[in-house]
Amino acid sequence: DRMAVTLMNDASTQTSVNIVWSHDGVTQHGEDSGVIGVGTAIRKAGETATKARYAKVSISNADAAAHTMSAWAFLKA
């Protein structure tokens, strides 16, 4: 009934995480903005209610340089 997301970044840069929801796995039907809000912490976590069958984690990097990031999504039942 809920989805948790964690993000780890290799540097303290402005990043955020949204979740894009889909009922058919193709079409984007909705988006949760700011599941992990904009901030400079290297490690972040957020949680939201499940909105559809399929979810895509969308990471925003506001820095001009490329960074190595790792994100995990966990479906909480």
Side-chain angles (χ1 to χ4, degrees):
D1 67 332
R2 298 195 60 80
M3 176 177 272
V5 179
T6 59
L7 172 71
M8 188 169 61
N9 192 350
D10 68 350
S12 292
T13 61
Q14 293 286 331
T15 55
S16 64
V17 174
N18 298 342
I19 297 179
V20 180
W21 297 100
S22 173
H23 296 288
D24 60 11
V26 178
T27 308
Q28 296 180 0
H29 292 102
E31 183 171 358
D32 272 340
S33 297
V35 173
I36 298 178
V38 177
T40 59
I42 292 175
R43 291 171 294 279
K44 302 177 183 183
E47 184 177 322
T48 188
T50 303
K51 312 282 190 312
R53 181 178 179 106
Y54 301 95
K56 177 174 72 171
V57 177
S58 175
I59 301 169
S60 174
N61 172 25
D63 196 12
H67 291 281
T68 301
M69 299 183 198
S70 299
W72 296 266
F74 178 72
L75 182 60
K76 300 172 76 173

